[in-house]
Amino acid sequence: MSEEKKPLNFLEQIIEEDLSKGMDRNKLRFRFPPEPNGYLHIGHTKAIGISFGLGEKYNAPVNLRFDDTNPAKEEQEYVDAIKEDISWLGYTWDKELYSSDYFQELYDWAVKLIKEGKAYVDSQSSEAMAEQKGTPTQPGVDGPYRNRSVEENLDLFNRMKNGEFEEGEHILRAKIDMQHPNMLMRDPIMYRILKKHHHRTGDTWCIYPMYDWTHGESDYVESISHSLCSLEFKPHRELYDWFLDQVVVDNIRPKQREFARLNLSYTIMSKRKLLQLVEDGVVKGWDDPRMPTISGLRRRGYTPAAIRKFVETVGVAKRDNVIDVSLLEFCIREDLNKIAPRVMAVLDPVKLIITNYPEGKEEWLEAENNQEDEKAGFRKVPFSKELYIEREDFKEDANSKYFRLAIGKEVRLKNAYIIKGQSVVKDNKGNITEIHCTYDPESLSGTGTQASLRKVKGTLHWVSIKHAIKAEVREYDRLFMDESPDSHQEKDFMEFINPDSLKVIDAYVEPSLSGAKVGDRFQFQRLGYFNVDNDSNEKLLIFNKTVGLRDTWTKQEESIQTSNKSASQHGQNQPKNNQNQ
């Protein structure tokens, strides 16, 4: 039975309509045009997925074009990172291009517009220009330099290019309509003076084209059929088309269409604000696993498949909305469940001594690597008299609803034996330093004995102390404590930083992990999914927590909201939004 065909999204419908009206299918060409002024983040994955996804669907080429028109903010580092991220996501571009490839052509076209009386050099201050531009409800007025002669404009623009003026002395504006209802059409800026070194063109240019002038003309030069961008550019479409009207001759005319941005809860998407987090030392670089950057998600252990699944699930919409970050976490959890080997690690260890286990005895027990993958096979895990278990897996006094280890209660050690709690040893502060228990030697998992088939309600993970490898675990929580940290007009987004977004833990892991390489992903049984961090070395394994085994955040959030509501009803101070997981 054939798979049911997915309904077309509205962008695909636009393309299909164009094809039905006679557009040559071989003329389809798309592009992804990032500005190299920062690292790509999760919000960009939607734009990447749409353009490259359409390229895959229609077997059409997709250009990677860097919008490098602002040398004050752009660096080669960002170009390299963007290329790495797109490749890692599994996409291949047809041509690697740059807006700077077209600087001469854009300049020549600007001269053409000046000669046609459609562009002029304005020498007002930025404050004066803002005042004469009007407001959305009040039309603008013509500036004092709007009717300069063609000859004077050509002379000034040429001298701007030659570096005779300082930044801010002159700009080049398109001459459209200062009373236009769309403020973007009120004589928009085409060029400004920027005496900055460009990462590709060096010091050849000291005037740089603005985005609106550059974008459509670059699409035209590259024969882009459909120029797809996020919804905030919808008001720019009229200007995009006006600029194209001035240069289009016989090449294919690009069509701009807009889709809703991908906004994620508990996250910021502004590259300027992400840069502030880096520069202020809130995070340890663009690839910090708490960052929503693609490089940060990769370092944290996210997979390309999970991110692509997330983008596919979100879909293509016409209206902006905020996607719950738990959906992204669900996608990575679902993917890692299928592919991540299972291992045992203890993050908060307490010593467990099996008093009736023979001194010096060792066993190498068989453990399944991944029950979701038949081909994953088995591994050997060492077992001995002294083990580490999680401190929270033992209670000295427990009620009937506690199914982990307690005095007089039985649990099964994963892949091993049934044990029964006996007694504890404490230090002079009353902290438990050792738990003593006994084991049933006939209860080994998988042996088929009656004792091995006996059911107990709790199963604990563990590591053999003698064989354990010490490791560092970096446990990450959400970077912000507010669902929409940059939406508060009265507060700065930095006020919502979670002070407990990173905990560094000394842990112990089973010896099968001794050969783990940077980037390898694992499920620490009963704890979550983890991967080997870039900082790991031969002396110390370092793991990042990617995501927990289940969505505890939603429950915690509901609990916080309930507490806040209760406190509000009783006139009490509301508790702080504590997000430690």
Side-chain angles (χ1 to χ4, degrees):
M1 186 176 177
S2 61
E3 288 187 17
E4 186 178 341
K5 291 185 71 173
K6 291 183 179 178
L8 299 177
N9 63 52
F10 79 95
L11 294 176
E12 292 168 338
Q13 290 172 5
I14 290 170
I15 294 168
E16 291 292 340
E17 183 179 347
D18 290 341
L19 293 174
S20 70
K21 290 179 178 178
M23 181 179 181
D24 186 346
R25 195 181 187 92
N26 293 322
K27 296 291 186 181
L28 288 176
R29 180 179 284 271
F30 308 102
R31 88 290 173 268
F32 175 62
E35 182 182 357
N37 63 347
Y39 282 57
L40 296 181
H41 54 63
I42 187 66
H44 292 110
T45 60
K46 184 172 182 179
I48 296 169
I50 286 173
S51 292
F52 283 96
L54 288 171
E56 291 174 354
K57 178 180 176 67
Y58 291 100
N59 194 28
V62 182
N63 290 349
L64 172 59
R65 181 176 74 240
F66 291 96
D67 176 33
D68 56 341
T69 59
N70 186 359
K73 294 183 178 181
E74 296 156 3
E75 298 177 19
Q76 185 63 40
E77 173 194 350
Y78 300 139
V79 171
D80 297 338
I82 288 168
K83 288 161 63 176
E84 181 183 2
D85 288 345
I86 296 172
S87 296
W88 177 75
L89 285 170
Y91 296 113
T92 304
W93 54 88
D94 179 51
K95 295 178 181 177
E96 180 183 325
L97 300 166
Y98 297 80
S99 294
S100 55
D101 294 337
Y102 316 125
F103 278 175
Q104 185 62 52
E105 197 161 6
L106 289 164
Y107 176 82
D108 293 341
W109 273 330
V111 170
K112 172 179 176 288
L113 262 65
I114 293 173
K115 290 179 178 178
E116 293 173 351
K118 296 176 180 177
Y120 64 97
V121 174
D122 197 339
S123 308
Q124 299 180 84
S125 67
S126 57
E127 293 79 13
M129 279 188 283
E131 188 175 339
Q132 53 99 201
K133 198 168 185 178
T135 69
T137 57
Q138 181 182 353
V141 296
D142 292 357
Y145 302 103
R146 195 171 193 267
N147 293 314
R148 269 175 166 155
S149 68
V150 169
E151 292 72 23
E152 187 180 2
N153 283 319
L154 287 172
D155 175 63
L156 286 169
F157 190 48
N158 184 58
R159 292 167 65 192
M160 285 169 63
K161 179 177 76 76
N162 292 337
E164 294 184 28
F165 304 114
E166 296 304 312
E167 293 182 7
E169 280 194 65
H170 304 287
I171 58 167
L172 183 72
R173 298 177 74 172
K175 192 174 185 179
I176 306 178
D177 182 0
M178 287 303 293
Q179 285 78 47
H180 200 287
N182 182 348
M183 288 191 66
L184 293 171
M185 300 294 285
R186 297 179 188 175
D187 293 8
I189 300 173
M190 294 175 65
Y191 275 90
R192 77 285 205 201
I193 300 169
L194 274 179
K195 294 190 173 181
K196 301 288 191 298
H197 184 82
H198 190 280
H199 69 99
R200 292 188 75 243
T201 61
D203 299 316
T204 303
W205 294 88
C206 63
I207 57 170
Y208 290 92
M210 300 297 288
Y211 172 87
D212 282 316
W213 169 237
T214 308
H215 196 67
E217 303 345 73
S218 300
D219 286 342
Y220 174 61
V221 172
E222 295 174 17
S223 299
I224 301 302
S225 61
H226 296 81
S227 180
L228 309 174
C229 52
S230 49
L231 210 54
E232 68 263 32
F233 291 102
K234 189 169 184 176
H236 295 247
R237 193 202 297 182
E238 191 172 9
L239 181 56
Y240 179 95
D241 288 335
W242 189 90
F243 278 138
L244 284 178
D245 288 341
Q246 315 313 312
V247 302
V248 168
V249 183
D250 55 1
N251 203 354
I252 191 168
R253 183 187 175 102
K255 175 184 284 189
Q256 176 179 308
R257 291 297 181 267
E258 306 81 20
F259 55 85
R261 293 180 58 168
L262 172 55
N263 297 303
L264 206 61
S265 64
Y266 297 97
T267 309
I268 58 171
M269 298 295 187
S270 162
K271 282 193 278 188
R272 177 181 59 81
K273 292 178 179 178
L274 293 175
L275 177 61
Q276 184 179 340
L277 292 174
V278 174
E279 291 181 336
D280 290 358
V282 176
V283 295
K284 299 175 182 178
W286 285 95
D287 68 342
D288 187 299
R290 291 167 290 182
M291 289 280 274
T293 55
I294 296 174
S295 56
L297 292 167
R298 177 168 63 244
R299 186 170 178 181
R300 186 157 174 171
Y302 276 74
T303 63
I307 293 174
R308 290 178 68 153
K309 177 66 175 177
F310 170 68
V311 172
E312 179 188 337
T313 305
V314 169
V316 180
K318 293 184 180 181
R319 293 184 179 179
D320 282 337
N321 59 348
V322 177
I323 306 301
D324 196 314
V325 69
S326 61
L327 175 60
L328 176 62
E329 293 168 346
F330 169 81
C331 291
I332 184 60
R333 195 180 288 116
E334 187 179 55
D335 190 40
L336 291 178
N337 182 51
K338 293 180 287 189
I339 64 173
R342 276 50 169 164
V343 295
M344 291 192 287
V346 176
L347 306 192
D348 185 14
V350 62
K351 182 185 286 189
L352 177 76
I353 299 176
I354 307 173
T355 56
N356 62 332
Y357 194 85
E359 288 286 347
K361 182 179 179 180
E362 285 180 17
E363 295 178 79
W364 287 80
L365 308 178
E366 193 170 74
E368 196 172 9
N369 285 328
N370 187 344
Q371 63 271 28
E372 301 293 326
D373 181 0
E374 294 179 358
K375 299 178 182 178
F378 295 82
R379 71 190 187 284
K380 294 290 187 179
V381 182
F383 188 85
S384 62
K385 185 181 183 74
E386 296 187 352
L387 312 173
Y388 284 131
I389 64 169
E390 296 289 350
R391 187 170 293 276
E392 69 171 17
D393 281 342
F394 174 81
K395 276 188 179 179
E396 194 172 2
D397 298 307
N399 60 35
S400 59
K401 293 182 179 179
Y402 185 77
F403 299 128
R404 288 176 256 182
L405 186 62
I407 302 298
K409 286 197 171 186
E410 288 187 324
V411 294
R412 177 174 290 283
L413 296 176
K414 183 73 176 173
N415 304 308
Y417 298 95
I418 293 174
I419 59 171
K420 186 174 185 178
Q422 278 188 313
S423 61
V424 296
V425 176
K426 299 181 181 180
D427 62 17
N428 55 12
K429 294 181 179 179
N431 300 312
I432 296 173
T433 57
E434 291 180 6
I435 302 165
H436 292 184
C437 67
T438 57
Y439 87 118
D440 180 352
E442 300 298 318
S443 65
L444 180 61
S445 294
T447 56
T449 64
Q450 188 172 354
S452 72
L453 298 173
R454 186 156 57 89
K455 300 294 184 183
V456 290
K457 290 186 176 179
T459 299
L460 310 184
H461 62 277
W462 51 273
V463 292
S464 166
I465 293 178
K466 179 181 177 182
H467 306 88
I469 298 173
K470 194 170 185 178
E472 179 181 301
V473 169
R474 297 172 180 176
E475 198 168 46
Y476 297 100
D477 197 353
R478 295 182 184 171
L479 187 56
F480 295 98
M481 297 188 294
D482 187 86
E483 188 173 12
S484 186
D486 59 352
S487 67
H488 301 270
Q489 293 183 349
E490 72 283 1
K491 290 187 177 181
D492 186 81
F493 77 102
M494 297 286 275
E495 294 183 44
F496 300 102
I497 294 289
N498 179 4
D500 298 316
S501 62
L502 170 61
K503 291 181 179 178
V504 179
I505 299 166
D506 289 330
Y508 291 93
V509 299
E510 66 175 66
S512 70
L513 288 168
S514 61
K517 302 290 191 297
V518 169
D520 286 352
R521 305 175 182 92
F522 302 92
Q523 184 196 98
F524 287 2
Q525 290 181 297
R526 300 180 65 236
L527 298 175
Y529 294 98
F530 296 75
N531 78 310
V532 183
D533 186 72
N534 304 358
D535 291 339
S536 287
N537 54 56
E538 292 180 358
K539 295 182 179 179
L540 181 65
L541 274 173
I542 300 173
F543 293 91
N544 297 321
K545 184 175 183 179
T546 307
V547 69
L549 292 179
R550 56 185 63 85
D551 181 11
T552 58
W553 183 266
T554 303
K555 291 182 180 178
Q556 187 174 358
E557 196 172 26
E558 289 172 355
S559 175
I560 291 167
Q561 290 172 352
T562 302
S563 298
N564 288 350
K565 184 177 179 181
S566 175
S568 176
Q569 288 172 344
H570 290 86
Q572 300 167 353
N573 292 327
Q574 295 187 11
K576 292 181 180 179
N577 190 351
N578 183 357
Q579 296 186 349
N580 296 335
Q581 290 185 10

